[in-house]
Amino acid sequence: MNPRIDTDEARELWLHASDEELKERAGQVRARYHDPDRATYMVMRIINYTNVCVAQCDYCAFFVLPNQDGGYVLSRKEVFAKIDELVEFGGDLVAFNGGFNPKLPLDFYCDLFAAVRARYGERVEFYALTIAEFVFLADRARIDYAEAAARLRDAGVHWITGGGSEILTEDFRKRHAKWKYTVRDYFDAQRAIVEAGLRTTATMVIGFDETLDERLEHLQRTRDFQDEAGGLFSFLCWTYKPYGTAFGGREIAPREYWRHIALSRIFLDNVKHVRTSVLTQNEDAFRALDYGADDFDLPIEDEVTQKAGATIDLDLEALLAIPRSLGYTVEYRRAERPAALTA
Ligand code: SF4
């Protein structure tokens, strides 16, 4: 078994390893957790309950400011209709993701999540918020992260995901998202979430202007967090969609994404699942299974990435045929309930 690599070794691998070597090394780490010929997936929907946001990230094509036309907040009825439609598609996971809407207090979210839990029970699991939104809500409510996490947990929340992380370096945040949160805030909040008994995940987005060192810093911080606090169920990486954003730019090539998935799988030897992004890579996402990924979503909606150029294919059987053609058995994976909350 290869020992854990540090960032210098990761840099060497990135710069000099062949695709075959990366695949092999990533496959060795993947095999510690998963059957090499098996992949798991979920059918899910991201519900963008509001597009009003004051964070103004320059890579976002989704938000409108509070005083601009076109802002919305979904009604409870609209949220339920979207969940019902997901269930008809055979899905059981919702991820709520909206903007930093200053008119929506923490109580709005607690009421919404309690209503979703009351209506669907354990039949549908939901990722309630991203850490980015969680930090904003706690700050607005003037309560600490521990109290915010406890209030959400008491409202029926099981998961607050690591979404909205993009690249976790302070420099990246100053360049692109200075109103969002600091990296320190991010991990302080995630630690409180774990300590409250909730589950969480790690995410990463590549393809902006981040340097190799910034990518490695992100991976290092993620691995350190998992060593110290635990609680990261999975690591999902997707790619920046540049269309309609203030920052602009071009999309990276699939091969760069696959190589990054492999490097992440090798580096994050303490995270069970490495997930590939069908939402941003479409059919190219499945090739990442050869580079160490073991799990993926089939999303039926995400307005945030769709506004920036993502396309969603609703022919789920045609999509599942692709990993099968690559030699994988694919199995549906139900969203897990945190052990700490299991009766
Ligand atoms: S990425 Fe999220 S936090 Fe940033 S502007 Fe868009 S909606 Fe707001």
Side-chain angles (χ1 to χ4, degrees):
M1 184 166 84
N2 284 311
R4 175 173 273 195
I5 62 170
D6 62 21
T7 51
D8 287 339
E9 291 163 307
R11 188 179 299 103
E12 278 300 300
L13 277 177
W14 179 259
L15 293 175
H16 303 300
S18 67
D19 289 1
E20 289 311 309
E21 185 181 352
L22 280 177
K23 281 157 87 170
E24 189 182 334
R25 295 277 300 265
Q28 288 166 359
V29 182
R30 187 191 195 278
R32 289 183 211 163
Y33 296 105
H34 310 286
D35 180 339
D37 301 326
R38 180 172 170 264
T40 48
Y41 73 99
M42 309 180 82
V43 176
M44 60 90 71
R45 171 175 222 152
I46 298 170
I47 295 183
N48 309 107
Y49 54 87
T50 182
N51 63 345
V52 175
C53 186
V54 292
Q56 304 176 71
C57 310
D58 70 1
Y59 46 76
C60 180
F62 169 67
F63 75 94
V64 301
L65 290 169
N67 58 356
Q68 288 178 323
D69 291 339
Y72 68 77
V73 178
L74 293 184
S75 68
R76 191 77 52 88
K77 196 171 157 198
E78 289 169 313
V79 168
F80 289 162
K82 283 179 180 285
I83 299 175
D84 290 345
E85 191 182 41
L86 170 71
V87 172
E88 280 168 31
F89 263 92
D92 68 346
L93 177 68
V94 168
F96 288 99
N97 179 221
F100 292 10
N101 186 333
K103 290 208 173 124
L104 303 182
L106 182 59
D107 284 345
F108 165 89
Y109 295 88
C110 290
D111 291 349
L112 171 65
F113 300 141
V116 171
R117 185 64 73 199
R119 183 176 162 108
Y120 296 95
E122 304 296 317
R123 283 184 298 131
V124 172
E125 189 49 276
F126 59 90
Y127 294 168
L129 298 162
T130 62
I131 288 175
E133 295 159 291
F134 175 84
V135 168
F136 177 74
L137 287 178
D139 286 350
R140 293 278 300 172
R142 297 181 198 278
I143 56 177
D144 63 24
Y145 299 141
E147 186 178 344
R151 283 180 58 183
L152 288 160
R153 184 193 60 212
D154 294 346
V157 168
H158 298 162
W159 291 84
I160 296 173
T161 67
S165 69
E166 292 87 31
I167 297 287
L168 287 169
T169 73
E170 301 293 9
D171 271 359
F172 180 90
R173 313 227 66 81
K174 281 186 199 134
R175 294 202 301 278
H176 298 292
K178 63 183 171 190
W179 308 114
K180 207 163 181 179
Y181 55 78
T182 65
V183 177
R184 184 173 175 176
D185 287 336
Y186 181 91
F187 283 112
D188 284 351
Q190 194 159 41
R191 191 178 304 271
I193 287 162
V194 171
E195 287 173 358
L198 300 173
R199 291 302 289 274
T200 188
T201 64
T203 68
M204 181 172 190
V205 188
I206 60 169
F208 307 94
D209 62 351
E210 76 281 1
T211 64
L212 174 57
D213 281 350
E214 286 187 310
R215 288 186 187 177
L216 296 176
E217 182 178 334
H218 184 116
L219 292 176
Q220 181 74 61
R221 286 176 181 274
T222 302
R223 190 170 75 183
D224 289 348
F225 181 86
Q226 183 76 328
D227 279 347
E228 291 158 22
L232 297 178
F233 177 78
S234 59
F235 170 82
L236 167 64
C237 178
W238 66 93
T239 51
Y240 167 55
K241 291 285 183 184
Y243 311 106
T245 68
F247 179 59
R250 301 176 61 185
E251 292 190 67
I252 63 169
R255 178 169 173 255
E256 182 173 348
Y257 177 66
W258 301 333
R259 286 176 63 87
H260 182 73
I261 289 287
L263 192 70
S264 302
R265 178 63 288 180
I266 297 163
F267 198 87
L268 299 174
D269 58 357
N270 55 357
V271 177
K272 181 176 178 187
H273 292 288
V274 169
R275 316 187 70 223
T276 180
S277 169
V278 176
L279 180 60
T280 58
Q281 286 289 307
N282 299 99
E283 62 271 18
D284 289 326
F286 301 109
R287 182 60 72 181
L289 298 171
D290 292 343
Y291 287 75
D294 61 272
D295 188 82
F296 56 90
D297 288 323
L298 297 181
I300 66 167
E301 181 185 28
D302 175 33
E303 196 184 336
V304 175
T305 46
Q306 287 176 287
K307 276 263 171 74
T311 55
I312 288 180
D313 184 351
L314 294 178
D315 188 345
L316 306 188
E317 276 311 310
L319 286 169
L320 289 171
I322 302 172
R324 289 184 181 122
S325 74
L326 296 173
Y328 293 93
T329 303
V330 288
E331 288 175 23
Y332 195 84
R333 175 173 68 77
R334 265 190 65 78
E336 291 186 25
R337 197 170 184 215
L341 297 175
T342 305

